[in-house]
Amino acid sequence: MFSAALMLLLAAGSCVYSIDLIQPDSVVVQPGQTLTVTCQVSGYSLTDSSYATGWIRQCEGKPMDWIFYQWGGGEFYQNNDLKNKFSYSRDTSAGTVTIKGQNLQPEDTAVYYCVRVWSEIKLDQSPSEVKRPGETVKMSCIISGYSMTSYNIHWIRQRPGKALEWIGWINTDTNTPSYVSSFQSRFSFTQDVSSSTQYLEVKSLTAEDSAFYFGARRSTVTEYSEAAAQNPPQTI
């Protein structure tokens, strides 16, 4: 199954425009134990009402789950299905947000991300699709809340049990795509400025292409010329 999940987020380790969300390396805990993870934020204020900061997770083979997030002004939102499992705290003076999990079980094994969220910007996903090997899939990302040509768009994927992979990016002003070498033969980025839509097309699909695919605005990822780097996400 080929799933497209498109969202605007600043994942742990991102550092464009001097914004960093840094969290510890992966850890292993035993069933029934607790775990506390702290994310150090820099480059913006946790009390800035334009942003929210929180935590999401992705269990293997499943879509991402929001756990909770808190806006700079104090408004707090949480996933009711997880509220008895995880608690959230923040220290605005130290610039940290902390998640604490209790009575952890094997089903809580996941990649956990510390994220920053914008309130006025949306990247709407196309529906998930199931394709056969050898076929072609085309995913769309409809953008609202800002002028699409003001920011570049990056594409990222995550295969089950694997780390995030950066596919490449498109200069939305010049309509010029750039790809990581391992993706450039079968993956292509296009755009329709009139409808504020970005597209990712993958040809000659293989079983290894089964993944969640993400569209991200330039200020949500790390750029180093033709490569992108991300600190290891938190894994339980």
Side-chain angles (χ1 to χ4, degrees), residues 22-39:
I22 302 173
Q23 60 191 66
D25 292 343
S26 301
V27 296
V28 177
V29 298
Q30 298 298 317
Q33 291 184 333
T34 62
L35 177 68
T36 300
V37 183
T38 297
C39 176

Side-chain angles (χ1 to χ4, degrees), residues 137-152:
V137 65
K138 189 171 186 178
M139 293 163 271
S140 64
C141 173
I142 301 174
I143 294 168
S144 62
Y146 72 97
S147 174
M148 186 179 73
T149 55
S150 299
Y151 296 89
N152 298 331

Side-chain angles (χ1 to χ4, degrees), residues 2-4 125-130 137-140:
F2 300 87
S3 300
Q125 67 183 40
S126 55
S128 299
E129 296 188 50
V130 177
V137 65
K138 189 171 186 178
M139 293 163 271
S140 64

Side-chain angles (χ1 to χ4, degrees), residues 30-79:
Q30 298 298 317
Q33 291 184 333
T34 62
L35 177 68
T36 300
V37 183
T38 297
C39 176
Q40 178 71 54
V41 174
S42 65
Y44 74 99
S45 172
L46 288 175
T47 59
D48 187 334
S49 60
S50 299
Y51 307 107
T53 308
W55 291 87
I56 61 176
R57 74 175 184 180
Q58 185 166 24
C59 300
E60 183 175 349
K62 296 182 179 180
M64 281 188 172
D65 288 322
W66 277 100
I67 304 174
F68 33 53
Y69 58 93
Q70 186 171 25
W71 291 102
E75 302 91 342
F76 181 74
Y77 299 89
Q78 63 183 7
N79 183 337

